[in-house]
Amino acid sequence: MDRKDIIICKDLHVELTTAIEAVQPDKVFVLTDTTTCDCCWPQIEHLPILHDATMITIPPTDEAKTLDTLATVWTALGEGGATRHSLLINLGGGMVTDLGGFAASTFKRGIAYINIPTTLLSMVDAAVGGKTAINFRGLKNEIGVFNESCTVLLDTRFLTTLDAHNICSGYAEMLKHGLISDMDHLAELLRYDLTEPDFSALQGMVARSVEVKEHIVEQDPREQGMRKALNLGHTVGHAFESLALAEGRTVLHGYAVAWGMVCELYLSAVRCQFPQSLLRQVLQFVKQHYGQFIITCREYEQLYGYMTHDKKNTAGSINFTLLSDVGQIHINQTATKDEIYEMLDFYRENI
Ligand code: GLY
């Protein structure tokens, strides 16, 4: 994606109008979920360029990220008279931008779409980098395509309506971007007071964070190599999410990633000599802001099973992204079952 296409908004109205004019669509559709329809759509609905836009609204939770919901979006586009020259604007969190991006990418073999992410998680991750998806047969993001939006408009004013848990959830992906980039950025992130978020300072950090992701995606848009850096914390994080799902516990994605990063930094220290002092700093930060996802050693086998079934694996070995230092990335790493159990011991004893 061209740099100019990710815009840190100064004036969303002006920037959105310009982005729509650049596409010159014959019709504009706006996809929201029921929450963003109430909270975010009112901020742009009066724009003259959206006067004739057709609204499509879907349920707000990840459970609705399904083929059925996708079909309702395709149907609404079809019934609303969308052509290959129409535009879909996705206004919402990762569920809306993932599903909307997939709907746009497949309708009439692909129409243009613009992402306006409204959560921190979607601003720094989901809405950027062209991954689109729905869940299928109980598997998260199982069906989708890589296809960039025309423009991503990042307006951090939407964040002021988010609750503290959703801020923390998105912040975990920012912490990941700090770990895979450089010490200055990581230090800035570890210093930030997440308990009393200063939204103007956060705007600069979001811009920096998105730059880290964008730089990696530019080099490897289809995750053949370097994009796997963005999977730091996710092998264990996804296993925690799967365990939570199986046990009926609720876990936000970023929380699972934060706990997963602690585990994978421990593994990084064991296998790649990641500095112990940094491991401890990140551990303290995660412990303070994310608390603990409680596991017992009776659940190790199940967690190990989830890791072996992760879709990032090849040929039966578990695939980790590890670090030897901040910004020193080692993709396609693996670990023995004993090392993974020791990692889970470390997690249980220290967090
Ligand atoms: N969420 C990781 C990626 O976009 O590759």
Side-chain angles (χ1 to χ4, degrees), residues 150-278:
C150 312
T151 308
V152 185
L153 295 167
L154 298 170
D155 190 339
T156 48
R157 275 168 304 182
F158 286 122
L159 299 179
T160 54
T161 60
L162 280 190
D163 62 45
H165 285 117
N166 275 294
I167 294 286
C168 283
S169 183
Y171 202 81
E173 297 284 359
M174 293 174 69
L175 212 51
K176 178 193 80 182
H177 291 160
L179 281 160
I180 60 175
S181 59
D182 64 75
M183 196 55 221
D184 283 354
H185 186 34
L186 179 64
E188 176 186 35
L189 288 159
L190 291 172
R191 268 196 316 269
Y192 184 74
D193 185 0
L194 249 187
T195 50
E196 295 279 338
D198 167 349
F199 287 99
S200 65
L202 191 59
Q203 179 166 10
M205 286 154 70
V206 165
R208 186 85 197 279
S209 197
V210 169
E211 244 172 57
V212 173
K213 175 158 185 181
E214 201 190 353
H215 180 63
I216 290 172
V217 171
E218 263 168 10
Q219 296 172 64
D220 177 23
R222 289 181 174 255
E223 202 170 301
Q224 301 299 305
M226 191 37 70
R227 187 166 181 163
K228 293 182 188 175
L230 297 170
N231 293 337
L232 177 70
H234 284 64
T235 302
V236 179
H238 285 156
F240 285 157
E241 281 185 290
S242 299
L243 183 69
L245 194 67
E247 294 178 347
R249 296 197 256 172
T250 308
V251 158
L252 291 176
H253 175 69
Y255 279 65
V257 169
W259 298 316
M261 277 193 298
V262 167
C263 292
E264 294 178 23
L265 289 182
Y266 167 81
L267 210 52
S268 296
V270 170
R271 293 186 67 103
C272 305
Q273 288 73 53
F274 184 78
Q276 286 285 343
S277 56
L278 269 174

Side-chain angles (χ1 to χ4, degrees), residues 21-262:
E21 281 170 355
V23 176
Q24 296 192 315
D26 58 1
K27 256 183 165 299
V28 179
F29 293 78
V30 179
L31 180 69
T32 64
D33 62 37
T34 47
T35 308
T36 57
C37 184
D38 289 345
C39 301
C40 306
W41 170 238
Q43 298 193 33
I44 53 172
E45 70 177 323
H46 59 275
L47 279 183
I49 202 153
L50 294 176
H51 186 258
D52 294 323
T54 302
M55 295 296 294
I56 308 173
T57 301
I58 57 178
T61 58
D62 201 64
E63 288 79 62
K65 198 174 161 184
T66 60
L67 194 54
D68 282 347
T69 309
L70 178 67
T72 65
V73 177
W74 283 330
T75 303
L77 288 169
E79 288 179 351
T83 73
R84 200 177 264 180
H85 304 287
S86 299
L87 169 72
L88 181 65
I89 299 172
N90 299 317
L91 177 68
M95 190 288 204
V96 168
T97 59
D98 276 11
L99 187 142
F102 188 44
S105 303
T106 46
F107 185 79
K108 293 193 192 285
R109 299 207 180 94
I111 64 171
Y113 73 100
I114 290 174
N115 279 340
I116 310 179
T118 56
T119 62
L120 187 55
L121 192 69
S122 58
M123 286 183 194
V124 297
D125 192 23
V128 176
K131 278 188 178 176
T132 70
I134 55 164
N135 303 333
F136 190 60
R137 296 176 67 232
L139 299 169
K140 277 177 70 91
N141 299 331
E142 179 75 348
I143 308 290
V145 295
F146 288 101
N147 180 36
E148 294 280 10
S149 59
C150 312
T151 308
V152 185
L153 295 167
L154 298 170
D155 190 339
T156 48
R157 275 168 304 182
F158 286 122
L159 299 179
T160 54
T161 60
L162 280 190
D163 62 45
H165 285 117
N166 275 294
I167 294 286
C168 283
S169 183
Y171 202 81
E173 297 284 359
M174 293 174 69
L175 212 51
K176 178 193 80 182
H177 291 160
L179 281 160
I180 60 175
S181 59
D182 64 75
M183 196 55 221
D184 283 354
H185 186 34
L186 179 64
E188 176 186 35
L189 288 159
L190 291 172
R191 268 196 316 269
Y192 184 74
D193 185 0
L194 249 187
T195 50
E196 295 279 338
D198 167 349
F199 287 99
S200 65
L202 191 59
Q203 179 166 10
M205 286 154 70
V206 165
R208 186 85 197 279
S209 197
V210 169
E211 244 172 57
V212 173
K213 175 158 185 181
E214 201 190 353
H215 180 63
I216 290 172
V217 171
E218 263 168 10
Q219 296 172 64
D220 177 23
R222 289 181 174 255
E223 202 170 301
Q224 301 299 305
M226 191 37 70
R227 187 166 181 163
K228 293 182 188 175
L230 297 170
N231 293 337
L232 177 70
H234 284 64
T235 302
V236 179
H238 285 156
F240 285 157
E241 281 185 290
S242 299
L243 183 69
L245 194 67
E247 294 178 347
R249 296 197 256 172
T250 308
V251 158
L252 291 176
H253 175 69
Y255 279 65
V257 169
W259 298 316
M261 277 193 298
V262 167

